[in-house]
Amino acid sequence: MSAPSPSSVEAAAGSPLARHRPHEDLQALLTGTLFVALGVIMYRHAGLLTGGTAGLAFVLHYATGWNFSLLFVAVNLPFYGLAWRRMGPVFTFKTFAAVGLLAAFVQWLPGWMAFDQLSTGFASVAGGLLMGAGMLMLFRHRASLGGFNVLVLYLQERFGWRAGRIQMGFDCAIVLAAMVVVDASQIAWSVLGAVVLNLALAINHRPGRYMAV
């Protein structure tokens, strides 16, 4: 799941005008992760994938058949140390909670709902919008779904590498790896979903556009 740099999340959420009460943060964590989980369930049903650590978990899930939720939690574990150092304990705790909630929802939702019919094109677009909306809620409450964003920011600060290019490199590597286990048509639909997701974030996640008091 590609996303804006954590620095933009921190800048937008760390100002005095962008503070939320604990119950507001809890509502955002629950709602945001539920929206993302719905998108993930649609993608899994259609055989699609996304970027970031969720995309890596998808590739491993398709290749091995292992549980997606457990894979998603596992691939995020190495990034919490960097998140603590770079973003602080509050951001890290909320991110840890969001990752856990997403994994739980993805595990539970198939027992609560099922798709009798779901076209790949609709899953690509609607799933991308759902994930984008959910991630936006998390960003606005100073949380994320972990992943490569923290690592690319660290590499940018440590070595001067451009964060956007590093993130793109990771996502391209995931897509290339997915070609071994996913059909080319599914890759194309996944790319469309990634465009939809990132457009939703780019249009709505802008400093100064959102104030929380």
Side-chain angles (χ1 to χ4, degrees), residues 10 80-97 142:
E10 185 178 31
Y80 290 122
L82 281 175
W84 186 283
R85 290 174 54 189
R86 176 61 186 87
M87 307 298 290
V90 174
F91 176 87
T92 304
F93 175 78
K94 289 181 181 179
T95 296
F96 183 83
R142 202 165 184 262

Short mmCIF file of all heavy atoms in Angstrom, two decimals, residues 10 80-97 142:
data_model
loop_
_atom_site.label_atom_id
_atom_site.label_comp_id
_atom_site.label_asym_id
_atom_site.label_seq_id
_atom_site.Cartn_x
_atom_site.Cartn_y
_atom_site.Cartn_z
N GLU A 10 3.28 13.05 9.85
CA GLU A 10 3.66 13.62 11.13
C GLU A 10 3.44 15.11 11.15
O GLU A 10 2.96 15.69 12.12
CB GLU A 10 5.13 13.28 11.40
CG GLU A 10 5.60 13.72 12.77
CD GLU A 10 7.04 13.32 13.02
OE1 GLU A 10 7.80 13.27 12.05
OE2 GLU A 10 7.40 13.08 14.18
N TYR A 80 9.01 -1.73 13.19
CA TYR A 80 8.57 -1.01 14.39
C TYR A 80 9.72 -0.31 15.10
O TYR A 80 9.54 0.76 15.68
CB TYR A 80 7.86 -1.97 15.35
CG TYR A 80 6.52 -2.44 14.84
CD1 TYR A 80 6.26 -3.79 14.65
CD2 TYR A 80 5.52 -1.52 14.53
CE1 TYR A 80 5.03 -4.22 14.17
CE2 TYR A 80 4.29 -1.94 14.05
CZ TYR A 80 4.06 -3.29 13.87
OH TYR A 80 2.84 -3.71 13.39
N GLY A 81 10.90 -0.89 15.06
CA GLY A 81 12.05 -0.24 15.67
C GLY A 81 12.36 1.09 15.01
O GLY A 81 12.60 2.11 15.69
N LEU A 82 12.36 1.09 13.68
CA LEU A 82 12.59 2.34 12.95
C LEU A 82 11.48 3.34 13.21
O LEU A 82 11.73 4.54 13.35
CB LEU A 82 12.71 2.05 11.46
CG LEU A 82 14.04 1.51 10.94
CD1 LEU A 82 13.94 1.18 9.46
CD2 LEU A 82 15.16 2.51 11.18
N ALA A 83 10.24 2.85 13.28
CA ALA A 83 9.12 3.75 13.53
C ALA A 83 9.26 4.41 14.89
O ALA A 83 8.98 5.61 15.05
CB ALA A 83 7.80 2.97 13.45
N TRP A 84 9.70 3.65 15.88
CA TRP A 84 9.87 4.21 17.23
C TRP A 84 10.93 5.30 17.22
O TRP A 84 10.75 6.37 17.81
CB TRP A 84 10.27 3.08 18.19
CG TRP A 84 10.34 3.50 19.63
CD1 TRP A 84 11.35 4.22 20.23
CD2 TRP A 84 9.39 3.24 20.66
NE1 TRP A 84 11.08 4.41 21.55
CE2 TRP A 84 9.88 3.82 21.85
CE3 TRP A 84 8.17 2.55 20.68
CZ2 TRP A 84 9.19 3.74 23.05
CZ3 TRP A 84 7.48 2.47 21.88
CH2 TRP A 84 7.99 3.06 23.05
N ARG A 85 12.03 5.05 16.53
CA ARG A 85 13.14 6.02 16.49
C ARG A 85 12.77 7.26 15.68
O ARG A 85 13.11 8.38 16.06
CB ARG A 85 14.38 5.37 15.87
CG ARG A 85 15.03 4.32 16.75
CD ARG A 85 16.16 3.62 16.01
NE ARG A 85 17.12 4.57 15.49
CZ ARG A 85 18.11 4.24 14.66
NH1 ARG A 85 18.23 2.98 14.24
NH2 ARG A 85 18.96 5.14 14.23
N ARG A 86 12.08 7.06 14.56
CA ARG A 86 11.81 8.17 13.66
C ARG A 86 10.53 8.92 14.00
O ARG A 86 10.48 10.14 13.94
CB ARG A 86 11.74 7.64 12.22
CG ARG A 86 11.37 8.70 11.17
CD ARG A 86 12.40 9.82 11.13
NE ARG A 86 11.98 10.90 10.24
CZ ARG A 86 11.22 11.92 10.59
NH1 ARG A 86 10.72 11.98 11.83
NH2 ARG A 86 10.90 12.86 9.73
N MET A 87 9.46 8.20 14.37
CA MET A 87 8.15 8.82 14.54
C MET A 87 7.71 8.93 15.99
O MET A 87 6.75 9.63 16.29
CB MET A 87 7.10 8.02 13.77
CG MET A 87 7.43 7.79 12.30
SD MET A 87 7.55 9.33 11.38
CE MET A 87 5.84 9.85 11.36
N GLY A 88 8.37 8.20 16.89
CA GLY A 88 8.03 8.30 18.29
C GLY A 88 7.10 7.20 18.75
O GLY A 88 6.51 6.46 17.94
N PRO A 89 6.92 7.08 20.08
CA PRO A 89 6.14 5.96 20.63
C PRO A 89 4.65 6.02 20.31
O PRO A 89 4.02 4.98 20.15
CB PRO A 89 6.38 6.09 22.14
CG PRO A 89 6.82 7.50 22.36
CD PRO A 89 7.55 7.89 21.12
N VAL A 90 4.05 7.22 20.26
CA VAL A 90 2.61 7.32 20.01
C VAL A 90 2.28 6.80 18.61
O VAL A 90 1.38 5.97 18.42
CB VAL A 90 2.12 8.77 20.17
CG1 VAL A 90 0.65 8.88 19.77
CG2 VAL A 90 2.30 9.23 21.62
N PHE A 91 3.02 7.28 17.61
CA PHE A 91 2.82 6.82 16.24
C PHE A 91 3.05 5.32 16.14
O PHE A 91 2.27 4.59 15.50
CB PHE A 91 3.76 7.57 15.30
CG PHE A 91 3.70 7.09 13.87
CD1 PHE A 91 2.78 7.62 12.99
CD2 PHE A 91 4.58 6.13 13.41
CE1 PHE A 91 2.73 7.20 11.67
CE2 PHE A 91 4.54 5.69 12.10
CZ PHE A 91 3.61 6.22 11.22
N THR A 92 4.09 4.82 16.79
CA THR A 92 4.42 3.40 16.71
C THR A 92 3.32 2.55 17.35
O THR A 92 2.92 1.52 16.79
CB THR A 92 5.76 3.12 17.41
OG1 THR A 92 6.77 3.95 16.83
CG2 THR A 92 6.17 1.67 17.25
N PHE A 93 2.82 2.98 18.51
CA PHE A 93 1.76 2.23 19.17
C PHE A 93 0.50 2.19 18.32
O PHE A 93 -0.13 1.13 18.17
CB PHE A 93 1.46 2.84 20.54
CG PHE A 93 0.29 2.19 21.23
CD1 PHE A 93 0.43 0.97 21.87
CD2 PHE A 93 -0.96 2.81 21.24
CE1 PHE A 93 -0.65 0.36 22.49
CE2 PHE A 93 -2.04 2.22 21.86
CZ PHE A 93 -1.88 1.00 22.50
N LYS A 94 0.10 3.34 17.76
CA LYS A 94 -1.09 3.38 16.93
C LYS A 94 -0.92 2.52 15.68
O LYS A 94 -1.86 1.84 15.24
CB LYS A 94 -1.43 4.82 16.53
CG LYS A 94 -1.94 5.68 17.68
CD LYS A 94 -2.27 7.08 17.18
CE LYS A 94 -2.78 7.97 18.31
NZ LYS A 94 -3.08 9.34 17.83
N THR A 95 0.28 2.55 15.10
CA THR A 95 0.55 1.74 13.92
C THR A 95 0.49 0.26 14.27
O THR A 95 -0.08 -0.56 13.52
CB THR A 95 1.92 2.10 13.33
OG1 THR A 95 1.88 3.46 12.87
CG2 THR A 95 2.30 1.18 12.18
N PHE A 96 1.07 -0.12 15.41
CA PHE A 96 1.02 -1.51 15.86
C PHE A 96 -0.44 -1.95 16.04
O PHE A 96 -0.83 -3.05 15.62
CB PHE A 96 1.78 -1.64 17.18
CG PHE A 96 1.84 -3.05 17.72
CD1 PHE A 96 2.79 -3.95 17.26
CD2 PHE A 96 0.94 -3.47 18.69
CE1 PHE A 96 2.84 -5.24 17.76
CE2 PHE A 96 0.98 -4.76 19.19
CZ PHE A 96 1.95 -5.65 18.73
N ALA A 97 -1.26 -1.07 16.63
CA ALA A 97 -2.68 -1.39 16.83
C ALA A 97 -3.40 -1.50 15.49
O ALA A 97 -4.25 -2.40 15.30
CB ALA A 97 -3.33 -0.32 17.70
N ARG A 142 -2.68 10.21 13.02
CA ARG A 142 -1.27 9.92 13.30
C ARG A 142 -1.01 8.43 13.51
O ARG A 142 -0.47 7.98 14.51
CB ARG A 142 -0.77 10.71 14.52
CG ARG A 142 0.75 10.86 14.55
CD ARG A 142 1.18 11.93 15.53
NE ARG A 142 2.63 12.10 15.46
CZ ARG A 142 3.48 11.54 16.30
NH1 ARG A 142 3.04 10.80 17.29
NH2 ARG A 142 4.78 11.72 16.17
#
